[in-house]
Amino acid sequence: MSAPAVFGNRIGGASVPAASGASFENRNPADARDLIGTFADSGAEDVLRAVAAAKAALPRWRALPAPKRGEILFRTAEILVRRKEEFAAAMTREMGKVLAETRGDVQEAIDMTYYMAGEGRRQFGQTTPSELARKFQMSVRMPVGVAGLVTPWNFPMAIPSWKMMPALILGNTVVIKPAPDTPLSTVNLLLALEEAGLPPGVVNMVTGGPEAGAALVSHPDVGVVSFTGSTATGRKVSEAAARLFKHCHLEMGGKNVVMVMEDADLDLAVDGAVWGGFGTSGQRCTAASRVVLHEAVAREFTERFVARARALRVGNGLEAGIEMGPIINAAQLARVESYVAVGQAEGATLLTGGKRLAGGTQAHGFFHEPTVLGDCTPAMRVSREEIFGPVVSLIRVGSLEEAIEVGNSVEYGLSASIYTRDVNKAFRAMNEMETGIFYVNAPTIGAETHLPFGGAKNTGNGHREACVQALDVFSEWKSIYIDYSGALQRAQID
Ligand code: UN1
């Protein structure tokens, strides 16, 4: 364990303590004795300074040609590649998920950074004929201004990159407030950007809790807000942004479903449900927290799935052989436990798991057993509400139609998947599921950076991250008409 460090906010290229002098601790969720560092506990005053720095950096950054901005992003990606192992280990220490997954998280940031570096030479608009002679017209993107980013702890480098890289390539400047559980990975992302030559003030970071977040999303000089987190907080962000007509992108809850049909390859479906349900300890927006089973395969699937869940090795994600890490913090662990109790009180059967793990090396961390709840009905809270932990609810159905109906019966619409060998069933489900992401013969997790990411219904507010769609969040369109006739030409009149 390396010595704890002291981290300030990053404002105008300098490390600055909180105006109040306050700080908070970042501890390892696998072993809370391990203090990673202290971080500035920011308030409204710190946000004012950070937004002022971002605003001051804006004219020069947006004047830099986009391909040049792209070169900085490209170099950033190269640095992330070089430091991947170091940043992944730091991330496991602060977030808990196993090394293979934190490597994946850094890789997702690398992918997004390369992708958006390429957008430095694209950002395509339209050219189109005019209805008038000797008149030329085209559309171009322009930056919104200062982007305020509020990011979660479950993908501590990937999600900041999803928001930051499109914002930057378009010429916006940034203030980011990472989740207080995982600020170090944002610090590391900023290190890479700065080493790559990002000018001071273009990306600023304030660390802290809800006070800093609220100040950021309601600041009048922040033109675009992008938030990933809970639906309850998302609603507040949306309301604050709406008052000032800001662009607002929200990515919120999920209650994703794996549907296992009677003709499924059960080995594949069990593998997928284990990875989708217990990967990242179930702490993904895309986690497979419901498995809908056709009654013809329900018994066999359940037996195999429960055996696999029971056999998962839970522990410190830095140790070899560990398959599932801790829960992020004590509050989240208590929430997971309470849902297990709620499920049983509602009539679900606890098939395995259900308890926190506190023996041996797990004594100082926030560990919970992989948990499977059987005999769930669609109406139960454990079948409808996002738990964000290693708890999977099993629901039996009699047909594809019923699977789709149950799958769609929740308020969220992020990700869904079907296991079947029947192309007709696969296409019907693909067409009818009300989700932004859909998989065939794969679990609900594993989105790549070059397709749009986001959800329907109460998961989102109509926007998408990643791919070119992310550019829409962080830009305004400008339509340009150039009349070279030398005469007044009147559209719709002449
Ligand atoms: C999230 O859970 O918030 O598709 C993001 C996936 C990952 C991203 C998850 N690529 O599961």
Side-chain angles (χ1 to χ4, degrees):
M1 291 177 191
S2 43
V6 177
F7 296 90
N9 286 324
R10 198 81 191 154
I11 299 179
S15 177
V16 202
S20 68
S23 63
F24 65 90
E25 293 180 343
N26 178 11
R27 288 181 180 271
N28 181 344
D31 184 347
R33 296 170 301 179
D34 176 20
L35 177 62
I36 293 158
T38 62
F39 289 79
D41 194 1
S42 308
E45 176 62 29
D46 304 294
V47 170
L48 287 180
R49 291 181 191 175
V51 173
K55 197 178 172 188
L58 189 57
R60 283 186 61 191
W61 180 245
R62 69 175 290 182
L64 191 67
K68 296 278 174 216
R69 296 197 293 263
E71 285 170 20
I72 295 176
L73 265 53
F74 187 88
R75 286 199 295 273
T76 304
E78 301 278 274
I79 293 162
L80 293 174
V81 169
R82 174 160 54 75
R83 301 182 73 170
K84 179 173 171 180
E85 205 52 38
E86 173 199 349
F87 289 166
M91 192 189 296
T92 293
R93 189 175 165 214
E94 75 167 348
M95 189 276 167
K97 60 187 174 183
V98 298
L99 261 183
E101 292 190 34
T102 50
R103 286 186 191 118
D105 194 308
V106 178
Q107 186 58 47
E108 206 158 337
I110 292 167
D111 297 343
M112 185 60 80
T113 307
Y114 277 132
Y115 184 91
M116 288 299 162
E119 281 304 312
R121 291 188 184 270
R122 285 189 294 267
Q123 294 182 37
F124 298 137
Q126 296 102 354
T127 60
T128 182
S130 167
E131 60 195 47
L132 296 165
R134 296 191 177 162
K135 195 178 166 205
F136 179 87
Q137 49 202 41
M138 62 186 167
S139 63
V140 296
R141 291 186 189 271
M142 56 179 172
V144 179
V146 176
L149 314 179
V150 180
T151 55
W153 46 261
N154 66 335
F155 276 80
M157 189 175 282
I159 293 181
S161 81
W162 293 6
K163 300 183 190 304
M164 215 181 268
M165 302 312 164
L168 292 176
I169 200 63
L170 288 156
N172 301 280
T173 56
V174 167
V175 178
I176 182 167
K177 192 203 81 68
D181 285 302
T182 56
L184 183 59
S185 295
T186 297
V187 170
N188 288 339
L189 185 58
L190 262 61
L191 278 181
L193 281 160
E194 290 179 10
E195 190 186 330
L198 191 80
V202 173
V203 174
N204 306 275
M205 177 194 72
V206 288
T207 51
E211 192 191 331
L216 181 58
V217 301
S218 56
H219 193 301
D221 287 338
V222 171
V224 48
V225 166
S226 179
F227 165 82
T228 298
S230 73
T231 303
T233 306
R235 181 167 284 116
K236 288 186 201 159
V237 171
S238 174
E239 286 166 0
R243 274 196 292 276
L244 294 167
F245 309 116
K246 297 176 193 293
H247 288 214
C248 178
H249 159 264
L250 306 171
E251 181 57 41
M252 301 172 288
K255 191 72 187 176
N256 314 292
V257 65
V258 168
M259 300 178 285
V260 183
M261 292 298 101
E262 67 273 36
D263 60 350
D265 175 338
L266 279 195
D267 289 333
L268 196 62
V270 169
D271 277 347
V274 169
W275 173 229
F278 302 117
T280 326
S281 308
Q283 302 172 117
R284 292 196 191 211
C285 308
T286 50
S289 55
R290 294 182 294 160
V291 177
V292 166
L293 297 167
H294 191 283
E295 58 200 7
V297 292
R299 232 189 72 195
E300 182 160 5
F301 177 94
T302 303
E303 274 170 19
R304 293 203 217 169
F305 181 61
V306 166
R308 288 281 300 279
R310 195 171 283 147
L312 283 172
R313 288 182 296 264
V314 182
N316 187 326
L318 286 171
E319 285 167 22
I322 293 298
E323 294 166 297
M324 195 180 101
I327 305 295
I328 189 69
N329 57 35
Q332 195 58 30
L333 177 58
R335 181 184 158 88
V336 171
E337 282 183 305
S338 78
Y339 267 106
V340 174
V342 163
Q344 288 176 277
E346 284 177 315
T349 309
L350 180 63
L351 298 175
T352 185
K355 291 192 300 295
R356 68 167 69 197
L357 290 160
T361 56
Q362 294 159 334
H364 301 283
F366 309 116
F367 295 95
H368 194 280
E369 292 174 318
T371 299
V372 181
L373 295 173
D375 303 315
C376 295
T377 65
M380 289 178 182
R381 284 181 61 199
V382 289
S383 303
R384 315 182 68 82
E385 297 176 15
E386 185 173 50
I387 300 173
F388 228 67
V391 181
V392 177
S393 304
L394 305 183
I395 305 168
R396 285 187 190 212
V397 294
S399 64
L400 174 68
E401 290 70 24
E402 199 188 342
I404 292 172
E405 192 186 319
V406 169
N408 279 334
S409 68
V410 295
E411 66 172 301
Y412 301 113
L414 183 53
S415 184
S417 100
I418 189 166
Y419 281 86
T420 180
R421 291 183 171 108
D422 180 342
V423 68
N424 296 357
K425 288 196 178 85
F427 268 79
R428 274 199 56 194
M430 180 185 85
N431 183 42
E432 291 174 33
M433 288 310 294
E434 299 159 350
T435 57
I437 303 171
F438 185 73
Y439 293 90
V440 178
N441 292 331
T444 54
I445 69 176
E448 302 179 28
T449 55
H450 47 292
L451 278 183
F453 181 93
K457 295 160 59 179
N458 288 356
T459 294
N461 65 340
H463 298 288
R464 290 294 184 268
E465 308 202 80
C467 198
V468 287
Q469 279 75 5
L471 301 179
D472 292 333
V473 171
F474 296 101
S475 63
E476 290 279 6
W477 282 110
K478 182 183 286 179
S479 297
I480 301 168
Y481 302 91
I482 302 151
D483 191 320
Y484 58 99
S485 70
L488 172 65
Q489 299 197 86
R490 297 173 301 176
Q492 294 95 34
I493 308 287
D494 292 337

